[in-house]
Amino acid sequence: MKELSEQAERIEQDLASRLAPLRQRREIAELAQVVSQVAAALREDEVLVEFVAFTERPPEQKPEAPNGPLHYLALILAHDGEPAMIDLGPAILLEAAAVRLQAALSDPKATYLAAATDSYQRLFAPLLPAFGGRTRVVISADGVLDLVPFAALHDGQKFVIASHHISYVTSGRDLLRSDDKNGGSHSIV
């Protein structure tokens, strides 16, 4: 039986290397496996948030046609749940808020609270319902959002760091390489 399984696997790999549709189906299965592995690597009180920049393009649009405006999507994954997706809106608005926050935090004479609150409302508040009460947040940011210090965002009452433990990874797959999955904190980058 084992020999037949191995032979079937070799034949499938050979076919996948020749046939694009079969290869795509195999890649989707591998992606689903990676998502499951990343979810299993998360602690019960933890969520992964991956910010992804994307352009809108209707499915019927030809690839050579111009794309729509850049948007940001937040992909949220917890240990026990299905991934959630939240469209945060046009990148131009989110990136402008991030740049304002960076400028305010970089200037010792500037007041940063308004910028920190605006960034909170645009980048963090829309995600809270998907957190399900979890307070440990692992962030993988894309584009300009990679420069946002999420712990410094302000909800109008307190800073995010007062209610959430924030850590950063380059990609959610980084959690699969974590040496300590049993209670230690993920590296803060």
Side-chain angles (χ1 to χ4, degrees):
M1 187 66 144
K2 182 180 176 187
E3 184 179 314
L4 285 175
S5 294
E6 290 172 358
Q7 182 181 9
E9 180 68 20
R10 283 193 303 273
I11 292 170
E12 187 177 340
Q13 287 176 351
D14 181 50
L15 286 173
S17 68
R18 296 181 204 185
L19 301 171
L22 183 57
R23 187 171 51 246
Q24 286 176 331
R25 203 168 71 205
R26 187 174 179 88
E27 289 169 357
I28 289 170
E30 290 171 1
L31 177 61
Q33 183 179 14
V34 169
V35 170
S36 294
Q37 290 171 344
V38 170
L42 292 166
R43 291 185 273 273
E44 289 185 21
D45 64 341
E46 190 172 49
V47 293
L48 169 66
V49 179
E50 294 223 24
F51 291 96
V52 180
F54 73 99
T55 54
E56 293 182 301
R57 181 185 351 199
E60 66 278 357
Q61 183 176 328
K62 294 181 180 179
E64 60 274 1
N67 292 328
L70 192 65
H71 277 241
Y72 276 100
L73 184 71
L75 304 170
I76 302 169
L77 182 64
H79 178 76
D80 60 352
E82 287 294 313
M85 292 187 291
I86 300 170
D87 186 347
L88 295 171
I92 193 165
L93 301 175
L94 301 171
E95 290 177 353
V99 168
R100 281 192 304 275
L101 178 62
Q102 278 294 328
L105 292 172
S106 300
D107 182 355
K109 296 178 184 174
T111 57
Y112 58 85
L113 206 51
T117 303
D118 180 47
S119 292
Y120 174 88
Q121 292 301 322
R122 294 178 187 278
L123 298 171
F124 204 76
L127 312 179
L128 291 174
F131 288 0
R134 293 173 183 89
T135 58
R136 300 179 69 83
V137 183
V138 179
I139 295 176
S140 171
D142 195 8
V144 175
L145 301 188
D146 194 35
L147 303 174
V148 174
F150 284 86
L153 302 183
H154 198 273
D155 69 2
Q157 304 286 323
K158 62 188 177 311
F159 290 99
V160 166
I161 196 168
S163 59
H164 292 81
H165 173 74
I166 306 291
S167 58
Y168 300 89
V169 292
T170 304
S171 163
R173 288 183 183 200
D174 291 349
L175 297 176
L176 300 178
R177 292 186 277 276
S178 176
D179 290 334
D180 184 7
K181 296 177 185 170
N182 299 320
S185 63
H186 295 294
S187 297
I188 297 178
V189 179

